[in-house]
Amino acid sequence: SQKIEQNSEALNIQEGKTATLTCNYTNYSPAYLQWYRQDPGRGPVFLLLIRENEKEKRKERLKVTFDTTLKQSLFHITASQPADSATYLCALGARWGGYNKLIFGAGTRLAVHP
Amino acid sequence: DVKVTQSSRYLVKRTGEKVFLECVQDMDHENMFWYRQDPGLGLRLIYFSYDVKMKEKGDIPEGYSVSREKKERFSLILESASTNQTSMYLCASSPGGGRGTEAFFGQGTRLTVV
């Protein structure tokens, strides 16, 4: 069956350290992968997109890697801050007919402590 | 500023009622989506639409229907609400083309069916 897995346990890290979140998938051939941030009671907000032919993408303190052989994406936040505390969702652009539908993982909650 | 607006933040409905959740976007996007979000399950796709009057079933369409009579508006209908439809409902839109552009989410509607 098709699955997208993110760590269900919260990730607790110290301010200033690098946070690394994992997204694994099975039985998908995604055209791209996206990462979103979601704060409590709010809708997700887009952070980064990486395509199947790209290995790495960066945006300010954020870095995403995409390994289609391992079927895994890693999401890194360097020099983390308490304001980075949120739930982070990965989403696959899964081919459906002539379109791509966005399939989400359950998310990983990140808590950055001062 | 781009905007996806959902008609209600909180709704309480009785079992068996017909429920309408409205979503409006002001970005002239072709694609619109309805998800529900439950703890531990992430966002699950209910229905999506790639054009006016066009609709496609997502992963959990049972008990729901949708309507897209105008490009900017996508409505989710619960024909006969049941308690297992208590959830957070999220509407999203994205530009067309299927090339993986970001999705913009509304603030969510927390529906409770009693």
Side-chain angles (χ1 to χ4, degrees):
Chain A
S1 64
Q2 296 173 317
K3 271 197 298 189
I4 302 171
E5 290 182 333
Q6 295 185 255
N7 287 350
S8 57
E9 291 183 14
L11 179 62
N12 291 282
I13 64 166
Q14 208 67 29
E15 182 176 7
K17 300 291 187 185
T18 295
T20 299
L21 286 72
T22 305
C23 177
N24 295 300
Y25 59 93
T26 55
N27 295 325
Y28 281 110
S29 295
Y32 55 87
L33 189 145
Q34 300 180 354
W35 284 87
Y36 288 78
R37 169 185 172 138
Q38 187 175 24
D39 293 289
R42 310 287 293 273
V45 175
F46 173 81
L47 296 174
L48 278 170
L49 177 150
I50 187 165
R51 300 192 186 282
E52 60 183 335
N53 59 347
E54 297 174 319
K55 295 289 186 190
E56 183 178 297
K57 262 291 184 58
R58 290 175 186 261
K59 179 183 175 182
E60 297 170 352
R61 295 185 295 111
L62 308 180
K63 184 178 86 170
V64 173
T65 63
F66 193 13
D67 189 326
T68 54
T69 302
L70 289 179
K71 296 187 183 297
Q72 181 182 77
S73 174
L74 298 178
F75 177 77
H76 306 272
I77 306 175
T78 58
S80 60
Q81 304 164 2
D84 295 325
S85 299
T87 296
Y88 291 86
L89 306 169
C90 75
L92 303 184
R95 289 189 178 89
W96 181 89
Y99 303 98
N100 289 310
K101 57 178 183 177
L102 210 51
I103 310 296
F104 282 83
T108 298
R109 191 162 58 84
L110 172 67
V112 182
H113 303 283
Chain B
D1 219 12
V2 296
K3 220 170 205 182
V4 177
T5 303
Q6 295 182 228
S7 51
S8 306
R9 287 297 303 271
Y10 301 95
L11 271 181
V12 180
K13 296 291 183 181
R14 294 195 180 278
T15 302
E17 274 193 80
K18 190 168 186 175
V19 181
F20 293 85
L21 302 183
E22 306 286 346
C23 176
V24 177
Q25 51 99 359
D26 65 359
M27 295 164 281
D28 201 36
H29 285 167
E30 284 76 16
N31 305 329
M32 295 190 75
F33 307 86
W34 274 107
Y35 293 89
R36 65 177 280 178
Q37 185 173 30
D38 301 286
L41 296 178
L43 277 76
R44 292 181 291 168
L45 183 63
I46 305 171
Y47 267 95
F48 56 101
S49 168
Y50 289 115
D51 203 350
V52 176
K53 296 191 187 294
M54 182 273 189
K55 58 188 177 187
E56 295 293 339
K57 293 179 181 178
D59 298 314
I60 51 163
E62 295 79 20
Y64 303 94
S65 62
V66 291
S67 171
R68 193 161 179 205
E69 295 296 318
K70 294 185 177 181
K71 190 175 185 180
E72 67 271 18
R73 186 178 297 270
F74 192 35
S75 303
L76 180 69
I77 304 152
L78 285 67
E79 297 290 343
S80 177
S82 64
T83 54
N84 62 13
Q85 293 179 308
T86 292
S87 186
M88 170 70 92
Y89 289 87
L90 288 158
C91 173
S93 73
S94 70
R99 293 184 299 109
T101 46
E102 66 181 279
F104 295 85
F105 282 84
Q107 77 278 27
T109 296
R110 186 165 293 283
L111 172 68
T112 302
V113 182
V114 297

